[in-house]
């Protein structure tokens, strides 16, 4: 079932998009999912409230790494406001196959890392403007 989505996930896992580090990143954040052993680090370049570049490195299962690859594609070029609307459902739509509770944690780890990093810098920016 859902062979096409499984192929897409495997392809992202084997050939991840936006993989690597940004040497002069504005935001670097990483987190892990101890249940599965997944690790994700996100580097983001944020200019005028827009995520102009995003790259990730990590290790772990196909779901976590594919989710990171798909999400970085989705988020690059978006504003921090748009980023607020990217949620669990966005990730599920990208993954496209039903996930049990354990795999759901894998799929959501990259989003958790992105949001923690992005909202951190947003709060800093807002403080500076006041
Ligand atoms: Zn995992």
């Amino acid at each position: 079932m859902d062979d096409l989505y499984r192929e897409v996930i495997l392809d992202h896992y084997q050939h991840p998009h936006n993989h690597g580090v940004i040497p002069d990143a504005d935001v670097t954040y990483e987190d892990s999912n101890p249940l599965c052993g997944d690790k994700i680090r996100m580097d983001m370049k944020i200019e005028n409230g827009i995520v102009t570049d995003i790259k990730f490195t990590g290790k772990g299962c196909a779901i976590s790494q594919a989710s990171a690859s798909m999400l970085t594609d989705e988020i690059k070029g978006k504003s921090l406001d748009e980023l607020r609307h990217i949620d669990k459902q966005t990730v599920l739509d990208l993954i496209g196959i039903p996930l049990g509770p354990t795999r759901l944690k894998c799929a959501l780890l990259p989003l958790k890392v992105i949001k923690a990093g992005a909202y951190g810098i947003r709060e800093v920016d807002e403080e500076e403007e006041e």
Side-chain angles (χ1 to χ4, degrees):
M1 111 185 155
D2 303 316
D3 280 343
L4 178 64
Y5 277 113
R6 285 178 199 283
E7 259 175 50
V8 170
I9 289 167
L10 268 183
D11 192 51
H12 274 276
Y13 177 57
Q14 286 163 350
H15 311 284
H17 301 183
N18 310 303
H19 194 262
V21 297
I22 301 173
D24 59 342
D26 296 306
V27 176
T28 297
Y29 197 82
E30 62 183 17
D31 204 351
S32 59
N33 169 18
L35 283 177
C36 178
D38 306 320
K39 273 195 169 63
I40 295 285
R41 168 189 153 146
M42 290 282 176
D43 284 357
M44 283 182 270
K45 194 86 191 141
I46 296 175
E47 289 166 27
N48 300 319
I50 306 285
V51 181
T52 55
D53 201 9
I54 177 165
K55 286 186 189 293
F56 82 98
T57 53
K59 56 175 189 174
C61 65
I63 294 286
S64 65
Q65 305 304 305
S67 170
S69 174
M70 292 173 182
L71 265 177
T72 50
D73 273 349
E74 182 76 18
I75 281 160
K76 196 190 278 192
K78 284 204 161 54
S79 70
L80 291 177
D81 283 333
E82 289 173 303
L83 190 53
R84 282 189 184 272
H85 300 293
I86 293 179
D87 58 9
K88 177 179 163 184
Q89 191 55 49
T90 313
V91 175
L92 290 176
D93 290 345
L94 288 171
I95 296 283
I97 55 170
L99 298 171
T102 308
R103 288 290 171 219
L104 189 60
K105 283 198 166 52
C106 300
L108 293 178
L109 175 64
L111 182 63
K112 192 176 147 193
V113 173
I114 288 167
K115 292 220 168 188
Y119 295 159
I121 192 137
R122 186 188 169 81
E123 279 159 20
V124 169
D125 280 346
E126 282 172 353
E127 277 169 24
E128 281 171 359
E129 280 166 20
E130 281 167 11

